[in-house]
Amino acid sequence: MNVLEVDGLTVVLPGGSHRPLVDGIALRIGAGEVVGLVGESGSGKSVTARSALGLFPARSRVTGSVRVAGTEVVGLAGEALRRLRAEQAAMIFQDPRASINPLRRVGDFLTEAVRTNRGWARARSRDRVVELLGEVGIADPGAAMRRYPHQFSGGMLQRVMIAAALAVDPMLLLADEPTTALDVSTQAEIVAILLRLQAERGMGMLFVTHDLELAASICHRIAVMYAGRIVEEQPADRLFRAPRHPYTQGLLAATPTLPSATGGAVQASGRLVPISGRPLSLTDTPPGCAFAPRCPRAIALCTATAPDLHSSGAERVACHRADESVGAGG
Amino acid sequence: MTAVNTAAPELVRRRLGGRLRGAAAGGWLYLVAAGLLAIVVLVAVLADVVAPADPLAVSLSDTLAPAGPDHLLGGDQSGRDTLSRLLHGARSSLLGPLAVVVASTATGILLGVWAAWRGGLVDWLVSRSMELVFAFPGLLLAILAVALVGPGLTAPVIAMAIAYTPYIARLVRAAASQEAAKPYIAAYRVQGFSGLAVNARHLLPNIFPVVLAQTTLNFGYALMDLAALSYLGFGVQPPSPDWGTMIKENQAAMLEGAFLPSVAPGVCIVVVVVAFTIVGEGIADRVARREAA
Amino acid sequence: MSAVAGVSRFVAGRLVSLVLTLLATSFLVFSAIHVAPGDPESFLLRGRGVSPEALAAVRTQYHLDEPLPVQYWRWLSGVLTGDFGRSLQFRQDVGGLLAARLPTTLWLVGYATVLIVVAGVLFGALAALRPGPVDTTIMVGSTVAAATPSFVAVIGLSAVFAVTLDLFPTFGNGEGFADRLWHLTLPAVALALSTVGLLARVTRSAMLAELGREHVEVARARGIPPGTVVRRHVLRNALGPITVLTGLIVAGMFVLTAIVETAFGLSGLGSLLVQAVTAKDFPVVQAISLLVVVAFMVINLLVDLVHPLIDPRMGRHDSRVLP
Amino acid sequence: MSLEAQGLCKRFGPLLAVDHVSFSVADGGSLGLVGESGSGKTTIARIVAGLERADGGSVRVDGTDRGVHVRGRAARLARARQVQMVFQDPYLSLDPRLTTVETLTEVIALHDGGTRVARRERVDELLDQVGLGDREAAALPRQLSGGQRQRVAIARALAARPRLLILDEAVAALDVSIQAQILNLLADIRTQTGIGYLFVSHDLAVVRYVTDHVAVMYRGRVVERGQTAAVLAAPRHPYTQLLLASVPRPGWDPTAVAQARRALQANNASEEPS
């Protein structure tokens, strides 16, 4: 069963002069599956992830369908939307320090959801949360619950966020850049905790990140976004070895790597291969492929019409020239 | 600390929406308020020309005269033309606060920037002395000044300039410390610019709009405080026209049902202060929008 | 625990700085007579018969024969034992005068404070939570209210409620609880009006700022009911600026009573201050000024002490911003 | 010329942020200063730039001590020509009121003086060097993207013709595709001008592309140093090994990294009970 099914999701801001924040997104996540959503800032990956909780930008126009464990989210409101957020899906955000009310104790934050939404008694919710804090590796959970957020490090707060998300036993976990604000060695710990808990509970997880290598090393499948659209989707290892879309290829070639990595993106001179130009702003609305202005392989067709997302087997690519050459471009 | 790349889109959206609404609603309101203030200033300057009558001319037959062709806003307790007194009264009602905000803003900026830039002992001394002055509400300091020197505008204006300084100095100190912590200021220091040059050319111009917003709001507060002093009989002395004095003079007439002579200057005060509030907040909004951009 | 040590160090620090500021401000108030034009004796006795006895009395009261620090110290120790000297105008103890006037002023300030907190927070919260016509109406109302100084409010209120409708008295203190309440209603409203507007605006912007914070969005994303989000996260977190401003407002109101008490003929400290200034009765002016300053500082100290209860990150920032 | 830092110490309250750190950058060399948040690397950058005063130790450029407090315009300018700095956040490192040309002209006027024409020529030269066109030259910072702003910041630093450039996490806030452009630009500038770099970063992979030597910092101390390629290929200190193992790649095992991190922390805690 799919815990998340997104079809033709388009989110348009009021005002009209902007391109859609996301345009025709289609995405599936099965139970127990980890799917990566990769893109640079402004690509629409956060908007996509938030749509699963019905967190759309104020006054935006939303079309398409987002189903979480079978429940349609688009158009859902009031008590039903609240129940979906309280029971089916939970989210972990980039900056844990901004995500937790700084004026209340960590324990209040952790127990709030089960106490208000499930009506659990104080003792019961406390026991539950203590158990979860142990699972995310916080020593002395009882003491931790009495402290305030500013007394924790960022890595510890992100563990608190994870425990809070799991308190409601969600089927779908949305992780929006959960390690971006953390140190690299802390990132490993948080990722390890997330993956262990996800596997133990058989949750579906959407892992949003700008780091293609991180996504490739922990996800089953990866979707790459550019300017509000998914441009490519493949199983993680295949995407990393044989990217089909020029943007994915460019991203891999532009990413600095360590010598032990087998990516092979580094040329003999030790230089990176950057993608020329700069990302589209929200006000740019080219008629053709959004990546065409930066694409080394663009032809006239690319600037005239936007390519559809073609699927064949486990992979999907939106590029007019995807079939011409597989692998490294140019 | 700045988040690395993605701000929460819903928040961005709300800010954007607010900006659009701000431009539509705040825009014209701001212009109307600024226009109104310009007119009031013009009237104050040209009071001799535009006033229909001598503001000091007493005419017992016109005592508490109702509004009519002779006296557009009626006559007061002593039969003087209310409209003419209002127009002339704009002078002292605006000049006093102007002196207060100019002096307090200049001193406040100097002290605030000095404290923020030098830090350490200078900061401590400035902050402590500002705290000291802060404990005296403006009106109290002005009343004390009157008690020492006697009635009139000069002493209260000086006293209030002193009392208003901590508000500006605190604001400037906070804004300047925040600005000085930004890397562009550090970059200019590394470039070899002198502290004076960095402050005068980069730091001050960038915090000035924030200060200007507060100064504009302070103008309204100062106007209210000085008018209150005149109302108590400590400020502008009769028979000179002043909005605060006019209210005091004609308050008793209210019991006889003659509202206009005291209500009209009251309305003037409220309208002018509202206009200053709108302009001040308009400036503050612009600053906020610039920061958000 | 270090938290307890931190709190007690914080409280001790505040108390010490309060005492130091009190010393400094009282010195300023005392030494004002030396700043005034002319020598202190003639300044104090302006317009009164300069009999040798009066001169001697003033010299003793202010210890003018001694060096300034000693003068100050003697005056201060007098003040600390309730001896504020003698009024030149009423020829009686200033302390007794103040004691008789204090209740009315406390009543008035207390009444106005209740009005300000209830109406200000209520309107501000309503404006923040109901965008559209409700917000606009409250914003217009509070802008005008904030721009209405108390003496203008007096005019408006008397015109409508006292002269036209004849609902409330415009003069006198009243006797007994109910009568007092009735007599003080118009003065309290006049005193409160402009600050209700100010507090409503600050409440609104503090709540809007909180509504825009990520943790509020996270609470919504966790399915917490909207009412709970507003109560526990928005209003709760906005309390900081609201408390600070309320403290400043209440502290500043003691001076504003001068206007309202004069306008409504109430015999409180404010009207006494005005009378004393008019009658050049400086010992009374001095005593009331000192009281107002002390009230200001004590109230602000209370706010500072309450603040850590609202914000556990206390001491990290000082957030007094509004005049 | 060369930069010599000897025994630098800096304390913030109870925290010893920099603990007897020494390093040197050869003329035209490039040293990477690598560590996680709180390792003291940014404090060192600020000390070298003269924005922070060390509690102990010295920073010498060609033998002259930078720690001495300077007075007067000539001395200030001389110091500025030794070392310039580029900051992390491209959104805060430019004066928001000034266009690119105004920003550069001001610095050129300070350091070169010269006629208007000469200054304009130098501006064009700098814009060319960092790859900015006419549109960007006339734009205010808010009209520029993060990558373009960082190019302006680099041009501004180069305007003083410094011998050493401190780059404090200068590419950390940029998207990958832009980051690669800036990294290549930095490599080109060094080749063309022979300027030296002190490259402060948390990212080992990035450091690899711009530095010859690297010093790894942990809790205020340098724990390992050497040629960048050698350190990355065969790290000796457990912290360097942890840092390298933490970088995600296919086949990466976050659980093992987490264990190694805990072991290192436990080890450290037993060494210095604080």
Side-chain angles (χ1 to χ4, degrees):
Chain A
M1 187 198 76
N2 285 333
V3 291
L4 180 67
E5 291 180 354
V6 181
D7 277 302
L9 175 70
T10 301
V11 179
V12 185
L13 287 181
S17 61
H18 307 286
R19 65 174 163 80
L21 288 174
V22 296
D23 191 359
I25 301 290
L27 195 68
R28 296 212 164 1
I29 299 177
E33 196 183 18
V34 181
V35 175
L37 196 56
V38 176
E40 296 181 293
S41 31
S43 60
K45 53 193 193 301
S46 278
V47 177
T48 307
R50 277 156 195 257
S51 73
L53 287 172
L55 286 172
F56 297 107
R59 288 182 304 283
S60 59
R61 209 179 66 240
V62 182
T63 49
S65 155
V66 178
R67 283 181 305 281
V68 173
T71 312
E72 177 61 55
V73 179
V74 176
L76 201 63
E79 188 59 22
L81 179 62
R82 211 169 66 67
R83 279 229 316 282
L84 173 103
R85 291 169 173 179
E87 288 160 15
Q88 310 285 357
M91 189 151 180
I92 300 160
F93 298 81
Q94 173 178 328
D95 183 359
R97 209 168 286 289
S99 302
I100 303 178
N101 188 341
L103 306 191
R104 300 180 69 89
R105 288 174 202 279
V106 163
D108 294 340
F109 173 77
L110 283 161
T111 54
E112 184 174 25
V114 279
R115 293 196 66 194
T116 54
N117 291 329
R118 301 211 174 149
W120 284 13
R122 182 182 294 273
R124 183 178 177 196
S125 32
R126 197 192 122 83
D127 290 348
R128 170 79 174 132
V129 164
V130 165
E131 179 194 329
L132 281 167
L133 285 177
E135 282 191 54
V136 296
I138 287 185
D140 196 356
M145 288 178 68
R146 285 191 297 275
R147 292 161 77 182
Y148 288 97
H150 70 270
Q151 297 168 310
F152 286 90
S153 69
M156 284 295 157
L157 276 189
Q158 198 59 298
R159 292 169 197 239
V160 169
M161 277 303 289
I162 295 172
L166 296 180
V168 294
D169 292 310
M171 307 179 70
L172 173 65
L173 188 60
L174 305 150
D176 187 358
E177 304 254 12
T179 58
T180 305
L182 307 176
D183 271 330
V184 62
S185 63
T186 316
Q187 160 169 296
E189 290 204 57
I190 296 297
V191 167
I193 291 167
L194 270 177
L195 289 179
R196 174 167 54 79
L197 295 171
Q198 175 271 334
E200 279 171 14
R201 285 149 199 259
M203 290 181 294
M205 178 156 86
L206 182 66
F207 195 92
V208 177
T209 179
H210 65 280
D211 186 339
L212 194 47
E213 308 235 356
L214 174 61
S217 52
I218 64 172
C219 299
H220 301 124
R221 253 185 314 126
I222 296 178
V224 179
M225 290 190 71
Y226 187 78
R229 292 178 184 225
I230 292 181
V231 294
E232 172 164 12
E233 185 187 322
Q234 288 211 58
D237 51 337
R238 284 242 300 278
L239 181 98
F240 206 69
R241 270 186 290 111
R244 300 280 311 277
H245 195 281
Y247 175 63
T248 319
Q249 293 163 2
L251 214 50
L252 277 170
T255 308
T257 53
L258 287 170
S260 52
T262 50
V266 192
Q267 294 177 339
S269 65
R271 283 174 73 86
L272 295 161
V273 185
I275 303 176
S276 64
R278 61 190 181 102
L280 284 192
S281 78
L282 260 188
T283 45
D284 296 330
T285 51
C289 172
F291 188 61
R294 305 177 73 187
C295 182
R297 298 169 60 204
I299 53 175
L301 177 64
C302 298
T303 48
T305 49
D308 292 329
L309 192 62
H310 285 294
S311 31
S312 61
E315 61 178 60
R316 299 192 289 162
V317 189
C319 177
H320 291 304
R321 304 190 64 190
D323 293 333
E324 292 173 23
S325 65
V326 176
Chain B
M1 276 282 139
T2 49
V4 175
N5 53 36
T6 40
E10 184 158 331
L11 307 185
V12 175
R13 201 64 36 256
R14 193 174 293 131
R15 230 184 273 147
L16 197 86
R19 192 191 313 180
L20 296 177
R21 253 184 299 127
W28 68 260
L29 244 183
Y30 176 80
L31 288 180
V32 169
L36 191 106
L37 290 180
I39 292 172
V40 174
V41 169
L42 211 65
V43 162
V45 173
L46 301 175
D48 293 324
V49 185
V50 290
D54 178 354
L56 301 177
V58 176
S59 152
L60 291 180
S61 61
D62 289 328
T63 298
L64 298 183
D70 289 345
H71 300 287
L72 284 175
L73 289 177
D76 74 357
Q77 203 79 298
S78 318
R80 294 168 297 196
D81 183 51
T82 301
L83 177 63
S84 302
R85 286 182 69 75
L86 272 186
L87 298 179
H88 279 272
R91 285 183 176 174
S92 61
S93 303
L94 292 181
L95 269 179
L98 181 69
V100 170
V101 297
V102 167
S104 62
T105 302
T107 324
I109 287 179
L110 276 178
L111 289 174
V113 171
W114 193 38
W117 190 255
R118 294 297 296 274
L121 185 65
V122 170
D123 186 18
W124 189 88
L125 278 176
V126 170
S127 298
R128 291 297 85 76
S129 40
M130 288 300 106
E131 233 161 64
L132 203 62
V133 178
F134 191 72
F136 290 87
L139 202 56
L140 177 69
L141 212 56
I143 291 176
L144 257 175
V146 170
L148 291 174
V149 181
L153 258 191
T154 320
V157 162
I158 294 172
M160 280 182 39
I162 295 172
Y164 275 48
T165 300
Y167 293 103
I168 296 287
R170 274 165 180 250
L171 177 78
V172 169
R173 184 187 164 276
S177 319
Q178 208 182 6
E179 203 69 16
K182 289 186 182 169
Y184 81 91
I185 294 292
Y188 284 109
R189 285 171 59 197
V190 176
Q191 290 284 2
F193 286 93
S194 67
L196 195 65
V198 177
N199 274 304
R201 272 193 263 167
H202 300 285
L203 195 145
L204 254 186
N206 275 302
I207 64 168
F208 190 70
V210 182
V211 183
L212 187 65
Q214 184 64 52
T215 298
T216 313
L217 292 175
N218 279 1
F219 201 112
Y221 292 120
L223 195 154
M224 291 200 283
D225 279 354
L226 283 177
L229 276 183
S230 295
Y231 171 82
L232 291 176
F234 298 156
V236 176
Q237 295 300 300
S240 297
D242 176 274
W243 295 344
T245 320
M246 287 171 71
I247 294 178
K248 180 192 173 65
E249 286 168 345
N250 297 297
Q251 200 180 348
M254 268 202 348
L255 298 175
E256 299 165 37
F259 293 150
L260 215 45
S262 52
V263 170
V267 170
C268 283
I269 291 173
V270 174
V271 167
V272 170
V273 175
V274 165
F276 272 111
T277 312
I278 292 171
V279 171
E281 295 200 337
I283 297 171
D285 276 356
R286 270 156 210 237
V287 176
R289 252 178 275 146
R290 197 194 62 186
E291 308 264 287
Chain C
M1 256 255 348
S2 68
V4 177
V7 169
S8 45
R9 200 178 324 123
F10 171 76
V11 172
R14 287 295 176 199
L15 283 174
V16 167
S17 87
L18 174 83
V19 170
L20 290 179
T21 320
L22 270 178
L23 283 176
T25 44
S26 59
F27 181 75
L28 287 180
V29 170
F30 172 79
S31 56
I33 46 168
H34 295 272
V35 181
D39 57 301
E41 294 93 326
S42 51
F43 165 72
L44 288 166
L45 290 173
R46 277 170 309 174
R48 274 174 272 270
V50 190
S51 62
E53 301 85 61
L55 209 62
V58 164
R59 295 189 78 87
T60 345
Q61 181 173 341
Y62 280 85
H63 312 284
L64 289 173
D65 298 323
E66 303 184 57
L68 186 60
V70 180
Q71 288 178 27
Y72 167 64
W73 175 246
R74 289 180 184 268
W75 176 76
L76 185 68
S77 23
V79 165
L80 288 178
T81 55
D83 173 16
F84 288 89
R86 277 179 75 81
S87 156
L88 302 170
Q89 171 193 11
F90 297 101
R91 301 192 177 279
Q92 70 175 90
D93 260 10
V94 175
L97 262 178
L98 297 189
R101 303 283 194 124
L102 191 61
T104 305
T105 301
L106 286 181
W107 254 88
L108 187 58
V109 170
Y111 194 169
T113 304
V114 172
L115 291 179
I116 287 166
V117 172
V118 171
V121 174
L122 195 75
F123 284 127
L126 220 73
L129 298 174
R130 297 268 177 282
V134 175
D135 181 24
T136 312
T137 312
I138 292 177
M139 281 308 284
V140 170
S142 60
T143 308
V144 173
T148 309
S150 43
F151 61 96
V152 175
V154 167
I155 302 296
L157 291 169
S158 329
V160 176
F161 291 101
V163 179
T164 311
L165 299 175
D166 199 17
L167 286 176
F168 291 97
T170 55
F171 202 85
N173 291 354
E175 304 283 328
F177 186 83
D179 190 43
R180 238 195 188 160
L181 212 57
W182 185 54
H183 272 85
L184 290 181
T185 296
L186 281 191
V189 172
L191 192 58
L193 188 66
S194 125
T195 41
V196 166
L198 190 61
L199 188 61
R201 296 165 67 91
V202 167
T203 303
R204 173 182 179 271
S205 60
M207 284 186 66
L208 283 180
E210 286 304 324
L211 276 169
R213 294 221 197 288
E214 204 171 312
H215 72 82
V216 173
E217 197 191 4
V218 170
R220 284 205 197 97
R222 296 171 80 204
I224 311 292
T228 313
V229 173
V230 167
R231 246 183 310 114
R232 276 202 209 143
H233 301 292
V234 179
L235 192 58
R236 166 73 180 74
N237 288 29
L239 275 184
I242 294 174
T243 313
V244 170
L245 181 69
T246 307
L248 284 179
I249 284 173
V250 175
M253 244 176 351
F254 281 95
V255 197
L256 291 180
T257 57
I259 297 157
V260 175
E261 288 176 2
T262 307
F264 284 101
L266 306 174
S267 67
L269 288 184
S271 51
L272 180 62
L273 176 64
V274 175
Q275 286 167 25
V277 171
T278 314
K280 295 166 181 156
D281 189 356
F282 201 72
V284 175
V285 174
Q286 224 167 15
I288 295 177
S289 302
L290 193 65
L291 273 188
V292 170
V293 171
V294 168
F296 190 91
M297 285 192 290
V298 168
I299 290 171
N300 271 309
L301 175 78
L302 289 180
V303 169
D304 278 353
L305 295 183
V306 167
H307 215 199
L309 300 179
I310 296 171
D311 189 343
R313 300 163 297 174
M314 59 156 206
R316 294 240 305 232
H317 52 84
D318 186 358
S319 50
R320 280 181 294 203
V321 280
L322 267 143
Chain D
M1 88 143 206
S2 62
L3 177 84
E4 266 304 312
Q6 272 295 336
L8 290 179
C9 289
K10 179 75 188 181
R11 188 177 275 283
F12 293 115
L15 175 78
L16 192 56
V18 177
D19 185 2
H20 291 89
V21 169
S22 305
F23 58 87
S24 62
V25 186
D27 196 5
S30 176
L31 173 73
L33 209 53
V34 178
E36 295 184 299
S37 51
S39 63
K41 58 188 193 307
T42 290
T43 307
I44 290 179
R46 293 179 63 86
I47 290 172
V48 173
L51 291 167
E52 206 93 62
R53 195 171 264 277
D55 296 333
S58 67
V59 178
R60 290 175 178 278
V61 172
D62 282 342
T64 46
D65 193 344
R66 277 179 71 80
V68 185
H69 189 70
V70 295
R71 283 210 165 273
R73 185 183 146 92
R76 270 202 323 267
L77 295 190
R79 275 169 68 106
R81 286 185 207 119
Q82 293 174 340
V83 174
Q84 281 298 315
M85 184 159 173
V86 176
F87 297 83
Q88 169 174 4
D89 190 340
Y91 291 87
L92 295 177
S93 58
L94 300 174
D95 187 332
R97 296 175 312 110
L98 302 187
T99 65
T100 304
V101 171
E102 287 165 348
T103 298
L104 296 179
T105 308
E106 191 180 11
V107 179
I108 294 165
L110 179 74
H111 283 278
D112 291 5
T115 62
R116 260 183 59 170
V117 181
R119 289 202 291 255
R120 180 67 218 201
E121 270 173 18
R122 177 82 177 121
V123 168
D124 289 340
E125 191 185 313
L126 286 166
L127 288 173
D128 199 43
Q129 201 170 3
V130 298
L132 289 174
D134 290 342
R135 194 197 76 84
E136 291 83 19
L140 288 169
R142 65 163 174 272
Q143 296 160 325
L144 298 174
S145 70
Q148 289 167 335
R149 292 183 201 207
Q150 209 57 319
R151 286 174 194 265
V152 178
I154 292 170
R156 181 183 56 190
L158 293 177
R161 295 198 177 84
R163 294 302 304 143
L164 183 88
L165 198 54
I166 303 169
L167 297 142
D168 183 12
E169 297 278 12
V171 297
L174 305 176
D175 274 325
V176 170
S177 64
I178 305 299
Q179 174 180 296
Q181 294 174 0
I182 301 293
L183 286 174
N184 283 350
L185 174 69
L186 288 172
D188 292 342
I189 288 174
R190 190 154 79 95
T191 319
Q192 288 160 12
T193 62
I195 193 173
Y197 286 163
L198 178 61
F199 192 91
V200 177
S201 177
H202 68 281
D203 191 335
L204 281 170
V206 162
V207 165
R208 188 182 161 213
Y209 291 84
V210 269
T211 66
D212 320 321
H213 290 79
V214 67
V216 181
M217 292 200 62
Y218 181 58
R219 297 188 175 181
R221 292 186 197 157
V222 173
V223 294
E224 179 161 2
R225 68 179 88 222
Q227 293 208 318
T228 308
V231 170
L232 294 188
R236 293 196 306 273
H237 192 276
Y239 179 70
T240 319
Q241 290 163 358
L242 171 70
L243 219 47
L244 275 164
S246 298
V247 178
R249 74 207 78 178
W252 178 60
D253 182 2
T255 315
V257 177
Q259 271 164 8
R261 180 170 186 255
R262 276 195 294 278
L264 184 73
Q265 278 174 340
N267 201 10
N268 246 287
S270 65
E271 270 174 29
E272 36 174 336
S274 57

